[in-house]
Amino acid sequence: EPRSAWCCLAWTLVIGAMNSLVFLINLLLMFVIFTIVLLPTIVVVYFGFQCHSQVLHSSARYCKSILDDNSSSALIILGFVIMSPLIVMAMAIYCSLARRLRLFMCFQPYSLAVYKGGKWCHSKEGALCGCARGWNTQVKAWV
């Protein structure tokens, strides 16, 4: 049976807040994984730009004794070359972790706000958020 207008609005706000929280958790997880996996690229490109005479030209000792313009250019190029495989690896790690934690199943449909008696999903098989209703492990993402 349909809910009243005020009740529907309140439930819409609750479900919207829950979905926003799940979205922020996904975003935070993605940020942490990408930062950790891309750290070698960040460091290599940073030192390349820091020690190149045409960019920042730092007066640090390692820039004067170890890195000249050619080696700084090589670091910059190396950093951008290794970035592509690391991005693919970071995305694969994030997707496998999100699938294992079933984070995408935590989003609630807004139909729960419109009609009374909608069932909230309950924890099955140790899901993180308890939203693994009808989870089929044989379903593939590309099907």
Side-chain angles (χ1 to χ4, degrees):
E1 104 184 52
R3 296 183 191 269
S4 67
W6 289 107
C7 187
C8 181
L9 179 65
W11 276 105
T12 301
L13 292 175
V14 168
I15 292 172
M18 277 183 50
N19 287 344
S20 297
L21 181 66
V22 170
F23 174 76
L24 290 175
I25 289 171
N26 276 305
L27 198 64
L28 179 68
L29 181 67
M30 185 183 296
F31 176 76
V32 168
I33 289 172
F34 272 73
T35 302
I36 291 171
V37 171
L38 291 175
L39 192 61
T41 297
I42 294 168
V43 169
V44 167
V45 170
Y46 171 76
F47 282 117
F49 277 124
Q50 184 183 18
C51 295
H52 199 281
S53 67
Q54 299 296 319
V55 184
L56 293 177
H57 194 57
S58 175
S59 61
R61 194 185 84 175
Y62 56 85
C63 286
K64 292 178 182 176
S65 62
I66 299 173
L67 296 174
D68 59 353
D69 280 350
N70 290 334
S71 57
S72 296
S73 297
L75 282 179
I76 294 168
I77 292 169
L78 175 68
F80 284 113
V81 166
I82 65 173
M83 186 182 299
S84 296
L86 289 179
I87 287 175
V88 171
M89 189 171 75
M91 196 63 197
I93 291 170
Y94 167 72
C95 288
S96 67
L97 189 60
R99 181 181 166 116
R100 181 169 302 183
L101 296 176
R102 300 177 181 171
L103 291 178
F104 298 122
M105 301 294 286
C106 294
F107 289 104
Q108 296 294 325
Y110 283 100
S111 62
L112 291 175
V114 178
Y115 298 106
K116 291 181 182 177
K119 294 182 180 177
W120 294 88
C121 46
H122 300 287
S123 180
K124 290 182 184 176
E125 301 169 8
L128 177 70
C129 65
C131 300
R133 171 182 16 172
W135 179 261
N136 185 358
T137 58
Q138 300 301 319
V139 175
K140 302 292 182 198
W142 54 84
V143 175

